[in-house]
Amino acid sequence: MDRLSALEIFVTVVSEGSFSAAARSLGMSKSAVSKHIAALEDRLGVRLLNRTTRRLSLTDAGALYCERANRLIAEAEDAEAEVSQLSSAPKGVLRLSAPLSFGIRHLGPLLPAFLAQNPGLTIDLKLDDRLVDLVQDGFDIALRVTTLTDSSLMVRRLCPSRVVMVASPDYLAERGIPAEPADLKEHACLVYSNQTYGLEWRLVEAASGNKLTVRLGDSRVRANNGDILRFAALQGQGIAILPTFFVGEDISSQRLVRVLSGWEGVSNDVCLVWPHARYTPAKVRAFVDYMVKALGGGTPPWEDCPSLSRGLPPSQG
């Protein structure tokens, strides 16, 4: 096998986390993948992977080799794309990463039309809430819901992602409606455990832009997935603070109502990121253009309801 193919097998094993998963991804047998990795290690004279019965891990030499291998593969793909010129129809496999819940709710329904417009493309989509390393993990592009910062990646913002506080009507009827942020200490709050600031919510006043950090009291449910918190809120377990792409339809149907509507959580951006290159592959360009038309330049579809701008008035209870 040529050296580039050996590199591709190696980085696939690393990104998939096992010989079996890499074999399925590559359309090869597990034994063939294992033999190619063994031959690569013999040729290099170093062990690249530590193997146990339960997992694979990179050696120091393997980590260095994987980083260089990803760069070489990316440069080879970049060269192929450049040679094929801008007029070439997108083709090949688009390796795409996206957050789990957003991917299921809002990206998945958009993909059939994209594939219909680009019959030469195949999508390999991985849904994962972790922040993947595009180069090391072998992705062409990622959709992220994040706060944009300076990055070595190319970035295209699609739309804002607002964050609002919500609860079920039953919960508020039983526990009362908070009149100001300090009242949250007296309520059951549903906490996203992946946040780095613990039992606190960071809020922004819509009218003034003033920022406030509220220390929470009772936290009956903590989870690292927003859908779990949404389900808990729907079942009357407490107040949740969630992106509107989770709860826009629930607010519109009044299954959930906004709480403290003059305040929101710190907003993020829905954006696309992809590695810098002298030439952006046609398949990446096509996906960026499609997503800009689908989600960019206006109100996101999950915010297309008047109820999102209204909460419940404060009550005495």
Side-chain angles (χ1 to χ4, degrees):
M1 177 169 286
D2 64 86
R3 291 188 176 186
L4 184 58
S5 297
L7 292 179
E8 291 175 334
I9 292 174
F10 172 66
V11 298
T12 301
V13 168
V14 174
S15 64
E16 295 290 342
S18 72
F19 288 118
S20 298
R24 289 192 295 270
S25 178
L26 294 166
M28 301 171 63
S29 68
K30 179 182 176 182
S31 60
V33 171
S34 181
K35 287 179 181 178
H36 284 302
I37 296 300
L40 179 61
E41 289 178 326
D42 287 343
R43 181 165 59 82
L44 296 172
V46 295
R47 179 175 290 278
L48 300 174
L49 296 167
N50 292 315
R51 304 163 176 82
T52 68
T53 55
R54 300 189 63 181
R55 63 188 295 270
L56 295 175
S57 61
L58 287 167
T59 64
D60 290 343
L64 175 62
Y65 192 73
C66 185
E67 180 181 355
R68 297 291 182 88
N70 274 300
R71 291 178 185 174
L72 289 171
I73 292 170
E75 288 180 4
E77 291 179 346
D78 186 41
E80 289 181 359
E82 191 166 2
V83 167
S84 65
Q85 297 302 320
L86 291 172
S87 61
S88 297
K91 60 183 178 180
V93 179
L94 180 71
R95 292 176 291 274
L96 170 62
S97 169
L100 178 63
S101 295
F102 189 95
I104 293 172
R105 290 168 176 271
H106 300 293
L107 178 59
L110 295 174
L111 295 182
F114 173 70
L115 289 172
Q117 294 176 18
N118 298 276
L121 275 179
T122 298
I123 289 179
D124 182 2
L125 172 62
K126 296 292 191 299
L127 298 178
D128 195 333
D129 288 339
R130 72 185 180 92
L131 197 64
V132 300
D133 184 315
L134 268 66
V135 175
Q136 183 164 334
D137 294 338
F139 288 103
D140 296 304
I141 192 167
L143 185 147
R144 290 178 177 169
V145 183
T146 186
T147 301
L148 290 177
T149 58
D150 290 338
S151 171
S152 60
L153 300 170
M154 299 290 290
V155 179
R156 179 61 189 261
R157 180 182 181 275
L158 297 176
C159 60
S161 173
R162 294 168 57 206
V163 179
V164 297
M165 289 171 281
V166 294
S168 71
D170 288 344
Y171 172 85
L172 295 172
E174 178 182 349
R175 296 287 297 268
I177 303 170
E180 57 185 45
D183 295 342
L184 292 171
K185 294 179 182 179
E186 307 303 321
H187 283 266
C189 294
L190 311 173
V191 173
Y192 182 60
S193 58
N194 272 357
Q195 66 186 13
T196 58
Y197 36 90
L199 294 178
E200 294 179 346
W201 283 352
R202 298 181 178 180
L203 307 178
V204 179
E205 189 174 27
S208 66
N210 291 335
K211 296 181 180 180
L212 177 68
T213 297
V214 176
R215 182 72 180 176
L216 304 177
D218 180 20
S219 176
R220 299 194 62 194
V221 178
R222 305 180 196 181
N224 66 348
N225 178 266
D227 271 312
I228 300 300
L229 302 179
R230 170 181 170 267
F231 294 144
L234 288 168
Q235 295 299 317
Q237 295 299 306
I239 300 173
I241 185 166
L242 290 168
T244 53
F245 69 75
F246 273 110
V247 295
E249 291 183 2
D250 297 318
I251 295 171
S252 181
S253 65
Q254 298 184 355
R255 293 188 298 266
L256 295 172
V257 293
R258 287 196 60 185
V259 175
L260 295 171
S261 59
W263 294 83
E264 296 188 359
V266 177
S267 64
N268 293 309
D269 290 289
V270 180
C271 57
L272 297 171
V273 297
W274 64 98
H276 265 287
R278 289 188 301 273
Y279 178 87
T280 301
K283 60 184 179 181
V284 173
R285 282 200 325 275
F287 186 72
V288 172
D289 292 344
Y290 176 80
M291 292 299 294
V292 167
K293 290 180 180 178
L295 296 181
T299 301
W302 54 85
E303 291 213 7
D304 191 18
C305 65
S307 303
L308 265 176
S309 61
R310 298 197 306 269
L312 289 178
S315 78
Q316 303 299 321

